[in-house]
Amino acid sequence: MSTPASVRPPERHIQSQQFKPFVPPSPESLPKAAPSKTYRRTRKWTRRLLYLALGLGIAYEIDHYFLYASLTRSVRTFWLGLIVATDYKINFRAHPPLADSIQALHNRNAERLFDLLRTNGGLYLKIGQAIAMQSAILPPEFQKMFSRMFDDAPQNSWKDAEKVILEDFGKTPEELFGVSFSGEPGKGLLERTARASASVAQVHWARLADGREVAIKIQKREIAQQVDWDLWTFKVVARIYTWLFDIPLYSLVPYISERLLLETDFVNEANNSERMAKLVAGESRLRDRVYIPKVYRELSSKRIMTAEWIEGVRLWDKETLTRPWQGPWRQGSPGCKGAPLDPPDSQRVTEVIWNHPPEERLKPNRDWWKGPSGNGGLGVSLKDTMQTMVDLFSAQMFLWGWCHCDPHPGNIFIRRLPSGKPELVLIDHGLYVHMQPEFRHQYSLFWKSLMTFDNKTIGEIVGSWGIKNPDVFASATLMRPYTGGDHSASAGIKRVMSAKEQQERTYEMQQEMRKGIREMLADEKKWPRELIFIGRNMRIVQGNNQYLGAPVNRIKIMGNWASRSLVDSPDLSYGEKLLNLGRHFLFKLVLFSTDVVFYTSKIAQFFGRKKNLEDDMEVSMKKMAGDMGFELNHSVFEG
């Protein structure tokens, strides 16, 4: 029986070769050795990366300790500018490929820009506030985001403020102001915790040894280093965006930069303040209703301004303005007409100094006029308050040619005079524009022509300013639709946008907005740069009037000042003044029609209608702005 092949036992074979022991090969017989790997390229790039990291680290430390992060802020700005520009280049179309809608595109970029401005701080906050006020040319997503730009900025430590005083005067605060932080008899008092903090400066209260109470405005120490870098970055970004998006913005940048730079020069602010005080004192229609705080030059410098301390109620506190007066009869509120303020209680001051609270408050609370219950107010008329405000800024624009361009409610205090009338106190005189006489006369005539529908004169004036579309500019100036023109712009846009779906309408509206801006700035060389800030002033004043319930006919008051200034202006000849006087009397008859509209609105309010005249104009302006490709939103004033 044979064995299967699968289980056959292994066969053994006999080794036929002779046994040789293993002998290592000789070195001569081996091939040449390969060189070892040195990784030279890897080492070279590693060294480069280390040097780069070291260089960046040193640059970062130098930037933060000597340049106050100016380089870091500029790089951050350029990087975000690149992201935003790329985002819009790709997605700004009717159906964005990388966004749910154009509104979503605006929203995410508004948030990016807001975060950048808040993170960078300083002058960037000023730029953000300027953007926030231009609601007519911003998508609503930007308007809502930028309404938060008016919140208080963080304050610097007292050590930083003390260094600024020492650098500018070569003296300590105790030596310069004659104060003591330990309660030394015969010395003044100074609060080291700021009472207010803004983008470029903070304000401290002090009472000097001679009894004067002052507001010491101290520029934040980093601003001097940052301002040149910030303005350079602003110029570069504006240049790139002008090229990328074909909107003529860059031509306005030098003028805007100059104004912003002047805001950091407190000598300029002191000059503006003293000039305005003289102009008000010389105008009989305003001198008893408006007060400009005194500036103490001997305690002021380019980065420090010491001015009279103002006790008053901010314009935004409508309830305190209107509540009944509970102070003594025929007596004004503290400090009215520059009256001396009562001194702090010495016992309370000693207690505060010895306890060393984190936020020392040495200034007395002068609220006796609120009565025992604390529910009293100034008891002033909102109509008188707003009349004074519109009169003041109209005189600045049309009569004097020196216009305060930051009249938001935080820069306006109201005090009560012994007569019971309001006294308006205007502070923060850093941002002014000067209107040359020729331009001022043109602007006054332009306003007068708006009221009389003199389209020929309007066209001639705005044409000389390089503006192609008089209707749009007239409406933007009045802050309401101008109904005296040919309506060609809005009619054309309505035809273009008919029968479009929502996304396409939104896209085309915003394309028309860009076209409208180009038409407004058609001839950049002729376009008066002052209009940027004059428009800002009027927009804020309109918001103030609207907030107080539109107690006055703002348009009529401004029109009357525009016409009257062509009679009162000192740089016109007697013949021109006489001719303008006759025209002014005719103009007064025309203004009667605006009174009819105004009082009709007030009667309707009396009988329960909630909206006022400014609200009606806002609704009309929003409707027209929608037709023109704009969207207005007054929420920027809520800050």
Side-chain angles (χ1 to χ4, degrees), residues 220-233:
K220 293 178 178 176
R221 194 160 178 252
E222 63 272 17
I223 294 297
Q225 284 284 351
Q226 292 175 346
V227 64
D228 290 331
W229 282 95
D230 291 350
L231 291 177
W232 175 77
T233 305

Side-chain angles (χ1 to χ4, degrees), residues 160-175:
D160 279 342
E162 201 171 21
K163 284 177 184 175
V164 174
I165 295 171
L166 197 58
E167 288 167 1
D168 275 26
F169 288 96
K171 297 179 180 179
T172 64
E174 295 96 315
E175 293 168 336

Side-chain angles (χ1 to χ4, degrees), residues 289-291 336-337 413-415 417 421-425:
R289 297 189 287 149
V290 176
Y291 189 84
C336 71
K337 286 199 166 186
F413 286 95
I414 304 298
R415 301 191 292 205
L417 294 169
K421 295 286 187 182
E423 179 184 49
L424 185 148
V425 183

Side-chain angles (χ1 to χ4, degrees), residues 85-138:
T86 304
D87 199 4
Y88 272 107
K89 270 295 181 184
I90 294 170
N91 294 304
F92 188 62
R93 55 199 73 238
H95 301 283
L98 300 176
D100 294 335
S101 63
I102 290 177
Q103 289 85 352
L105 173 69
H106 288 324
N107 197 59
R108 71 190 182 200
N109 284 300
E111 197 162 340
R112 286 168 176 161
L113 189 55
F114 176 82
D115 289 342
L116 170 79
L117 297 176
R118 291 294 291 184
T119 303
N120 280 357
L123 208 61
Y124 282 82
L125 288 177
K126 280 282 180 193
I127 294 169
Q129 289 168 6
I131 292 171
M133 299 315 303
Q134 307 307 317
S135 64
I137 61 170
L138 287 175

Side-chain angles (χ1 to χ4, degrees), residues 49 123 153 191 223 295 341 368 380 386 395 397 399 405 426 447 487 517-518 542 565 580 582 588 606 612 622 633:
L49 288 172
L123 208 61
E191 290 182 350
I223 294 297
V295 176
L341 296 166
W368 46 263
V380 296
M386 203 63 219
M397 276 183 213
L399 186 60
C405 299
L426 183 63
W447 255 89
H487 310 286
I517 294 170
R518 283 200 297 267
Q542 185 215 15
S565 69
N580 289 335
K588 294 283 281 186
F606 178 77
N612 56 54
K622 280 185 176 181
N633 186 341

Side-chain angles (χ1 to χ4, degrees), residues 558-605:
M558 293 186 71
N560 190 55
W561 273 94
S563 178
R564 182 70 197 186
S565 69
L566 294 171
V567 180
D568 297 336
S569 183
D571 38 43
L572 291 174
S573 67
Y574 286 109
E576 288 175 306
K577 288 183 179 182
L578 192 60
L579 184 62
N580 289 335
L581 182 61
R583 291 171 177 166
H584 178 65
F585 286 128
L586 290 173
F587 178 73
K588 294 283 281 186
L589 293 175
V590 174
L591 286 186
F592 178 73
S593 63
T594 66
D595 278 337
V596 172
V597 175
F598 175 74
Y599 286 111
T600 301
S601 174
K602 297 305 285 184
I603 291 167
Q605 265 188 281

